[in-house]
């Protein structure tokens, strides 16, 4: 069974640009959550999608958005990039709430 | 954000010794907990989980203990090996879909 796949693995963007990250969950999983990981703030929840609907949202500005497709694949978008957006962005998939959540390898975003 | 990432506490153990990693969680209503292991450059790897109706759960070389009275979680690793060196995170879920709240993490260093 394939794990959670995130693409791309690495990205370098310039301030002010926008970026789209992709996540393919484990087959059969309908919940996809996104997290931002930085040395200073640790792992912080961005949002969760379940059956194409945003079910939960963390405390991030509106520049951070996401969506989920009918095949459960998810994308997150960050617009007007800032230097502080440099981080490892992680995607986790699960079959639902209160169940095992499995992470992908992450996308390392560097904003210069 | 809800996850506070500060200077990581470090636990250093000798190969073959047992390790105990502790975690204080934030919400008394949390009903599901997970321990993750994260190696450098990789996403968090699921180790073991426990539900709030249990006090203890055992896996292969690992045991998780849950003390709901003091909102404390611990991970015990038996016969620690160099390959166990990583950062360990606890995460809690309190009936908010797939949203996980992460602890700050503990860096485990195993000396051969």
């Amino acid at each position: 069974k394939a794990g959670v796949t995130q693409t791309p693995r690495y990205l370098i963007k310039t301030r002010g640009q926008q970026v789209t990250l992709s996540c393919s969950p484990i087959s059969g999983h309908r919940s996809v959550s996104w997290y931002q990981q930085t040395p200073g703030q640790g792992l912080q929840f961005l949002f969760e999608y379940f059956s194409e609907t945003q079910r939960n949202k963390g405390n991030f500005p509106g520049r951070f958005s996401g969506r989920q497709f009918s095949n459960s694949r998810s994308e997150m978008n960050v617009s007007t990039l800032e230097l502080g957006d440099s981080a490892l962005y992680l995607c986790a998939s699960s079959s639902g709430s209160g169940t095992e959540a499995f992470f992908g390898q992450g996308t390392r975003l560097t904003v210069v | 954000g809800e996850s506070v990432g500060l200077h990581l506490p470090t636990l250093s153990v000798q190969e073959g010794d047992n390790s105990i990693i502790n975690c204080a969680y934030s919400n008394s209503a949390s009903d599901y907990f997970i321990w993750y292991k994260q190696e450098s450059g990789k996403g968090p790897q699921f180790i073991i989980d426990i539900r709030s109706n249990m006090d203890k759960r055992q896996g292969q070389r690992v045991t998780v203990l849950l003390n709901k009275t003091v909102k404390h979680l611990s991970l015990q690793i038996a016969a620690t090996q160099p390959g166990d060196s990583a950062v360990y995170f606890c995460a809690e879920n309190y009936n908010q879909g797939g949203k996980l709240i992460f602890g700050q993490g503990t860096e485990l260093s195993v000396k051969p």
Side-chain angles (χ1 to χ4, degrees), chain B residues 5-63:
Chain B
L6 305 173
H7 177 72
L8 286 184
T10 301
L11 175 65
S12 184
V13 301
Q14 205 69 37
E15 182 179 359
D17 287 352
N18 296 334
S19 302
I20 300 176
I21 301 171
N22 297 303
C23 174
Y25 63 90
S26 59
N27 195 314
S28 57
S30 292
D31 55 7
Y32 179 63
F33 306 87
I34 307 177
W35 278 100
Y36 287 95
K37 171 188 179 182
Q38 188 175 26
E39 297 173 283
S40 181
K42 297 185 178 181
Q45 176 189 350
F46 178 97
I47 301 174
I48 191 168
D49 60 357
I50 189 168
R51 299 194 183 280
S52 59
N53 60 353
M54 301 173 70
D55 297 323
K56 179 180 179 179
R57 189 158 191 236
Q58 288 183 293
Q60 186 176 12
R61 282 202 306 120
V62 294
T63 301

Side-chain angles (χ1 to χ4, degrees), chain B residues 55-72:
Chain B
D55 297 323
K56 179 180 179 179
R57 189 158 191 236
Q58 288 183 293
Q60 186 176 12
R61 282 202 306 120
V62 294
T63 301
V64 55
L65 298 178
L66 174 62
N67 185 330
K68 295 181 285 294
T69 303
V70 294
K71 295 191 290 185
H72 184 268

Side-chain angles (χ1 to χ4, degrees), chain A residues 45-100:
Chain A
F45 174 80
L46 280 156
F47 29 65
E48 180 209 6
Y49 287 86
F50 184 86
S51 295
E52 301 179 68
T53 301
Q54 188 179 83
R55 186 159 69 170
N56 280 295
K57 190 175 188 306
N59 300 324
F60 279 82
R63 300 186 296 109
F64 292 80
S65 62
R67 59 178 175 169
Q68 187 179 33
F69 302 95
S70 58
N71 61 357
S72 293
R73 189 177 71 85
S74 177
E75 289 180 347
M76 69 163 281
N77 184 77
V78 188
S79 62
T80 319
L81 283 165
E82 301 176 359
L83 295 178
D85 296 333
S86 294
L88 181 67
Y89 289 89
L90 292 159
C91 159
S93 84
S94 71
S95 57
S97 59
T99 61
E100 300 173 3

Side-chain angles (χ1 to χ4, degrees), chain B residues 68-87:
Chain B
K68 295 181 285 294
T69 303
V70 294
K71 295 191 290 185
H72 184 268
L73 202 62
S74 68
L75 177 71
Q76 300 177 1
I77 305 174
T80 314
Q81 302 167 1
D84 294 327
S85 294
V87 177

